[in-house]
């Protein structure tokens, strides 16, 4: 690899969530965040816990999450966490970029590889579920631009995403 070639895995810390058991759950407390909550928000199906766990699996608004397991077509994706403080369930990585990697750039890099991640997961599909593993992330080589370029690209793409969010909100308001 050349000096600016890196593995996807080397760009961040990838912390997998916990395998919660029924004894952890209660009717109150912080939500346990599964892929369903990332896609649908907090619902009547959401489970909660009053127990405390390691800070590495605590979730706060703005955390970057990568769902690496599930139906390859609908579950494998990257998300910004935008729900109440919670706890990370298994099958989702909390992604913390390294110091030389811009957070927005990494988010859009992961988004841009969604088709590749879906294909990887589809090739390993068993009983309807597929996975993107740490091994896959270590084998995926990318060319990483300098930090200044990463920041510019991330901010540029984020402007477009914000415009899309705004247009969608306007359309929903008009439809109502």
């Amino acid at each position: 690899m050349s000096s600016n070639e890196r593995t996807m895995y080397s760009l961040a810390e990838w912390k997998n969530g916990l395998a919660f058991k029924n004894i952890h759950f209660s009717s109150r407390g912080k939500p346990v965040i599964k892929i369903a909550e990332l896609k649908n928000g907090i619902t009547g199906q959401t489970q909660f816990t009053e127990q405390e766990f390691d800070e590495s699996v605590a979730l706060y608004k703005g955390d970057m999450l990568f769902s690496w397991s599930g139906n390859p077509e609908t579950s494998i994706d990257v998300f910004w966490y935008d729900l109440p403080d919670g706890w990370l369930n298994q099958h989702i990585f909390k992604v913390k970029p390294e110091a030389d990697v811009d957070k927005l750039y990494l988010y859009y890099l992961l988004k841009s590889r969604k088709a590749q991640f879906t294909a990887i997961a589809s090739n390993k599909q068993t009983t309807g579920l597929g996975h993107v593993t740490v091994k896959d992330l270590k084998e995926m080589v990318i060319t990483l631009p300098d930090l200044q370029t990463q920041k510019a690209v991330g901010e540029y793409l984020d402007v477009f995403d914000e415009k899309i969010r705004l247009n969608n909100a306007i359309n929903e308001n008009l439809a109502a």
Side-chain angles (χ1 to χ4, degrees):
M1 285 191 289
S2 69
S3 62
N4 61 341
E5 284 188 332
R6 302 263 294 271
T7 66
M8 187 68 80
Y9 185 77
S10 74
L11 301 180
E13 176 186 328
W14 305 79
K15 177 62 179 169
N16 193 32
L18 301 176
F20 288 90
K21 297 177 177 27
N22 283 340
I23 60 168
H24 294 125
F25 299 129
S26 67
S27 59
R28 297 188 321 257
K30 292 181 182 176
V32 174
I33 303 302
K34 301 177 294 304
I35 294 169
E37 281 74 28
L38 294 178
K39 298 177 88 169
N40 305 317
I42 305 297
T43 69
Q45 302 300 310
T46 301
Q47 295 173 304
F48 296 84
T49 184
E50 293 183 293
Q51 292 186 11
E52 292 293 316
F53 301 93
D54 189 82
E55 182 66 21
S56 65
V57 292
L59 291 178
Y60 306 101
K61 285 188 189 299
D63 284 342
M64 186 187 321
L65 303 176
F66 179 74
S67 57
W68 57 268
S69 177
N71 178 314
E73 296 295 326
T74 60
S75 296
I76 310 296
D77 207 349
V78 61
F79 302 86
W80 290 121
Y81 187 69
D82 193 29
L83 296 170
D85 293 354
W87 298 110
L88 183 64
N89 195 49
Q90 64 185 345
H91 303 293
I92 305 170
F93 287 127
K94 182 176 173 181
V95 184
K96 294 176 81 173
E98 294 295 338
D100 64 338
V101 179
D102 181 69
K103 190 174 185 177
L104 277 175
Y105 181 84
L106 181 57
Y107 172 81
Y108 288 111
L109 177 62
L110 291 169
K111 275 286 190 195
S112 75
R113 298 290 178 107
K114 182 174 173 150
Q116 187 176 4
F117 291 129
T118 299
I120 289 168
S122 294
N123 288 335
K124 298 178 188 176
Q125 206 166 351
T126 56
T127 65
L129 303 178
H131 308 287
V132 176
T133 65
V134 166
K135 181 178 183 275
D136 297 319
L137 296 170
K138 287 180 176 178
E139 291 174 351
M140 189 178 290
V141 176
I142 61 104
T143 301
L144 186 69
D146 63 82
L147 191 56
Q148 182 179 348
T149 302
Q150 292 175 49
K151 287 182 184 295
V153 169
E155 289 171 7
Y156 184 78
L157 293 173
D158 200 48
V159 167
F160 280 104
D161 258 3
E162 185 57 35
K163 181 66 175 158
I164 290 168
R165 284 189 288 273
L166 179 61
N167 285 346
N168 286 340
I170 290 170
N171 287 340
E172 287 175 17
N173 191 32
L174 289 172

